[in-house]
Amino acid sequence: MHSESTVEFAPTDEQPLLAKRQSWKGRMRSKWYRMDRLSRVLFSLVILTLGAATVSRILIEVFSPFDSRPITIPPRVDEDNDTARTDDERRQAVRAAMQHAWQGYRQYAFGKDELQPVSNSSNNKWGGWGVTLIDALDTLHMMELHAEFKEGVRHVANLDFTQAKNGYKTPFFEMVIRSLGGLLSAYEMSLDQRLLKKAKEVGDVLMPAFDTPTGIPYPRVNVSAGKAIPSDRVCIAEAGTVQLEYWKLSELTGIPDYHETAQRVVDLLDQADKPYKGLYPIWIDIASGKMDSGSITFGGMGDSWYEYMLK
């Protein structure tokens, strides 16, 4: 009768006895002991460094978080400037410059459109309403020059925007951005109702400019006669740089006609044929609303249209 024999296999280097039954810890330990001493040292240093950085960050967040620390920005000093002024000194210098300019205007041209500083004289080339004064009101208020601001407001309150000096033909665009815009801005800062009243008056005397076949405004208005001066075409900066002021006037007065009238211009220009998407030729035919020039520019006669669309 044959007896059963037991065959034993000795472990070899090619197939370790416990290779399949080793845990991941055992496998990691085996790999560790197979590394040379230098590799072990370098690996240990990397692990210790990462661990120390992590622990340090946790401790900082727990006991002294970054966002709880007050941040102090020291005053900047321009080393290239001999005066080495601080920011506050510069602000005061700008304010003093505004005071100096206002005093010169007050002495030699108060109520006039422009001061001519070389001859210490003045002119009324913008209709005689004192456009420099109106345009400066919000700046005076921002710089806390309140006495000067009140003096300017008293003058504006007595102006009659329905009559221009010497039959002046008022530039629609310039009157909107300087006088209407200046009055609205000064009103929102001071809430002086006299300024809003005058802003409405300016908006009203300019409305005849929109009396065109398309609603695109004529470039000039005879405010004394209460009618626009007909023209065949207008540049896009003149036609398309009125929306912010008329929208704001509509908001403050509650009269929707101002907003709707200005919006029609934007809608028409948006729908007009253009040689390139988003780029507008500078000249518009008022009667048809078509772009009748291939010239496109971000400079004069086109610049403010793009500025207002961004705003």
Side-chain angles (χ1 to χ4, degrees), residues 65-311:
F66 288 143
D67 55 5
S68 67
R69 299 180 183 179
I71 299 175
T72 303
I73 301 176
R76 293 176 299 169
V77 177
D78 185 355
E79 300 296 343
D80 296 328
N81 189 337
D82 293 337
T83 58
R85 294 175 175 173
T86 64
D87 284 347
D88 184 63
E89 288 173 328
R90 288 173 178 171
R91 281 192 290 269
Q92 294 305 319
V94 172
R95 188 173 185 270
M98 182 63 185
Q99 284 180 303
H100 171 77
W102 178 261
Q103 289 166 2
Y105 174 76
R106 186 178 185 276
Q107 181 175 354
Y108 298 109
F110 189 82
K112 307 295 184 181
D113 285 331
E114 291 182 339
L115 166 68
Q116 298 178 169
V118 175
S119 60
N120 288 334
S121 58
S122 63
N123 68 58
N124 273 328
K125 63 190 296 183
W126 297 98
W129 294 294
V131 67
T132 292
L133 184 154
I134 297 170
D135 213 3
L137 286 175
D138 55 353
T139 303
L140 292 171
H141 196 279
M142 282 190 290
M143 292 187 174
E144 298 182 348
L145 297 171
H146 297 306
E148 292 84 348
F149 176 80
K150 290 177 181 178
E151 183 179 27
V153 172
R154 285 195 297 270
H155 173 77
V156 169
N158 293 316
L159 290 175
D160 180 4
F161 287 102
T162 66
Q163 297 295 320
K165 296 286 180 71
N166 303 319
Y168 177 68
K169 307 301 185 291
T170 303
F172 174 73
F173 161 74
E174 298 289 349
M175 192 70 171
V176 167
I177 65 169
R178 303 186 192 285
S179 295
L180 181 55
L183 290 167
L184 290 170
S185 178
Y187 167 73
E188 288 210 293
M189 290 182 181
S190 66
L191 299 180
D192 190 315
Q193 290 295 324
R194 293 173 295 177
L195 294 171
L196 180 57
K197 178 182 178 182
K198 288 300 170 181
K200 183 179 182 303
E201 188 176 307
V202 172
D204 288 339
V205 300
L206 295 176
M207 285 294 282
F210 294 101
D211 292 336
T212 68
T214 57
I216 293 176
Y218 287 126
R220 291 185 178 270
V221 179
N222 183 340
V223 299
S224 300
K227 60 183 181 181
I229 299 171
S231 176
D232 293 332
R233 65 179 188 170
V234 63
C235 75
I236 194 166
E238 292 176 303
T241 311
V242 301
Q243 287 72 31
L244 293 181
E245 290 82 1
Y246 271 103
W247 291 348
K248 177 57 68 173
L249 182 62
S250 183
E251 176 189 328
L252 295 175
T253 62
I255 300 174
D257 189 47
Y258 299 130
H259 184 287
E260 293 167 359
T261 301
Q263 182 63 45
R264 278 196 293 271
V265 178
V266 176
D267 294 341
L268 188 61
L269 295 178
D270 183 51
Q271 296 163 10
D273 291 331
K274 298 170 281 292
Y276 304 99
K277 184 178 180 180
L279 296 177
Y280 294 75
I282 57 175
W283 290 109
I284 308 165
D285 182 84
I286 295 175
S288 66
K290 294 181 179 179
M291 307 285 184
D292 68 351
S293 167
S295 299
I296 297 173
T297 180
F298 295 127
M301 298 193 294
D303 50 354
S304 57
W305 158 255
Y306 296 101
E307 294 170 15
Y308 269 46
M309 291 304 100
L310 289 172
K311 293 173 182 177

